[in-house]
Amino acid sequence: MTSQAALEATMASTTLRRRWIQVAADDPAALTQASRSTGVDFAAAAGRVWETDDFVYLPVVVNVRRGDVLVREAVVFALGEDVLVTLQPRTPFAAFDKAIARIRRTPELTETPHGIMYALLYALNEVSERVIDSASDTLESMTDEITMATNGYDAQGREIGVTDMQDTIERMNEAEEIVSRSQETQLLLARAARHLRAEITPEHPRLAGLVDILIADVDGVKEHASYEHDKVRYLQQSIMTSLDVKQNQIVKVFTIITAVFLPPTLIATFYGMNFTKMPELAWEHGFLVTTTLTFVAALIPLWYIKRKGWLR
């Protein structure tokens, strides 16, 4: 790095600290100090879009992955004319690391708090996109399981039941929840970006152009989330439909068995009664006639069911 570049980086860092104040949500002392020095009042905003004479309050909820756990983090931007205050889960906030790196590469973003907020929203949008990509990868890794579920048989040719697909269904439900939350995040990011665009003065046309691109990127990620949501819902519906068909087939088999054995059971019930006189018992061919009658009584409903096509 040249001495000029190092000087610019140092000046940018100094300006950044002056124009951007980070306040941890669990640090009342820092919140009080920020309120005294800037006049910011997050309590009045109450987690909603709120405008005062000095600040525009814009809340955003972003999904952040910590290892294998996905957590929802709330960030509130208080955008003023000369300073940006962020109420965030902690300081430093890992989701903003890429924004800080972007600001260092583009020092002119520190000229206004609007430029800093642009970089922060850009970083949050990328975090949200990575979460959606992760959910998409999860669905792709389940392709074989989903294919087996829709076909109805596993790799050994054994029929798949509800219990066999329980783990897959649970993971698909988790993916759907993640994508649904990401859709909400994109809506909040788009709203914050549009408010930011409205606050940019004509004296900063380049920043206005960057924010326009950001708005398009946020909308693009939202469309990606919508696509993934539709896909996971379709896969869920396919699996459930396949399992419902299988359950209906099982019920149909039991119904057919019941229909076939009901007439012979009725005949057996008659001859199981303890009547004093049963003429068939004295017939020479009584046993043969009764057996034949029972067999025919079983074949008649089976023939009727097959004729109706209910065995298909």
Side-chain angles (χ1 to χ4, degrees):
M1 179 181 294
T2 64
S3 58
Q4 180 63 28
L7 179 60
E8 291 179 357
T10 302
M11 293 177 61
S13 298
T14 302
T15 306
L16 178 62
R17 285 193 294 270
R18 186 176 70 252
R19 293 198 182 278
W20 178 28
I21 300 176
Q22 303 180 64
V23 180
D26 57 354
D27 189 350
L31 185 59
T32 301
Q33 183 179 357
S35 179
R36 290 175 179 174
S37 60
T38 64
V40 68
D41 186 4
F42 288 105
R48 57 182 174 173
V49 177
W50 188 258
E51 294 188 23
T52 64
D53 294 339
D54 299 319
F55 289 96
V56 177
Y57 297 88
L58 300 168
V60 172
V61 179
V62 64
N63 302 309
V64 180
R65 186 171 294 280
R66 297 180 189 167
D68 296 332
V69 180
L70 189 71
V71 295
R72 291 169 64 79
E73 303 282 21
V75 179
V76 181
F77 295 90
L79 179 62
E81 184 178 354
D82 297 317
V83 66
L84 172 68
V85 185
T86 55
L87 182 66
Q88 55 199 53
R90 66 197 59 82
T91 55
F93 187 37
F96 288 157
D97 289 346
K98 183 164 287 190
I100 295 174
R102 187 180 184 86
I103 291 172
R104 288 172 179 170
R105 292 194 309 270
T106 315
E108 59 265 26
L109 291 176
T110 61
E111 293 177 359
T112 64
H114 306 78
I116 299 172
M117 183 172 174
Y118 154 76
L120 298 179
L121 291 178
Y122 190 96
L124 294 181
N125 186 55
E126 288 195 343
V127 169
S128 181
E129 185 175 17
R130 287 196 297 271
V131 170
I132 297 171
D133 290 339
S134 176
S136 178
D137 293 340
T138 299
L139 292 176
E140 290 296 331
S141 66
M142 297 163 56
T143 301
D144 293 340
E145 301 173 36
I146 295 172
T147 301
M148 286 191 301
T150 53
N151 291 336
Y153 297 91
D154 60 13
Q156 288 75 34
R158 185 174 61 91
E159 290 192 6
I160 295 177
V162 176
T163 55
D164 300 316
M165 293 303 301
Q166 186 171 0
D167 181 63
T168 301
I169 293 172
E170 288 179 357
R171 282 187 288 160
M172 291 184 66
N173 291 339
E174 291 175 0
E176 182 192 9
E177 183 178 4
I178 290 172
V179 175
S180 298
R181 291 180 176 181
S182 298
Q183 287 180 304
E184 179 186 0
T185 295
Q186 295 310 117
L187 291 173
L188 295 174
L189 285 174
R191 182 179 64 181
R194 291 189 174 92
H195 276 275
L196 173 61
R197 178 64 180 86
E199 294 292 323
I200 297 176
T201 60
E203 289 78 14
H204 301 89
R206 184 170 184 273
L207 179 58
L210 292 175
V211 175
D212 288 337
I213 295 174
L214 172 62
I215 293 173
D217 289 342
V218 171
D219 290 339
V221 175
K222 181 167 69 70
E223 291 178 3
H224 182 199
S226 298
Y227 168 76
E228 294 296 336
H229 186 264
D230 291 342
K231 182 170 70 173
V232 70
R233 291 300 298 271
Y234 169 76
L235 293 175
Q236 286 176 322
Q237 188 65 35
S238 297
I239 290 178
M240 296 309 299
T241 300
S242 176
L243 294 177
D244 287 342
V245 169
K246 188 172 295 299
Q247 293 292 332
N248 290 337
Q249 289 175 340
I250 294 173
V251 172
K252 182 176 71 173
V253 169
F254 279 107
T255 302
I256 292 174
I257 292 174
T258 302
V260 169
F261 282 96
L262 183 60
T265 301
L266 185 61
I267 295 174
T269 301
F270 283 142
Y271 284 97
M273 298 179 183
N274 295 321
F275 289 119
T276 302
K277 292 184 179 181
M278 298 185 71
E280 297 87 347
L281 298 179
W283 291 356
E284 180 180 357
H285 302 290
F287 175 77
L288 179 61
V289 172
T290 303
T291 303
T292 303
L293 177 63
T294 303
F295 183 71
V296 172
L299 287 180
I300 289 176
L302 184 62
W303 168 80
Y304 181 80
I305 291 171
K306 186 175 182 180
R307 182 183 178 186
K308 288 292 185 178
W310 296 346
L311 291 177
R312 292 196 296 268

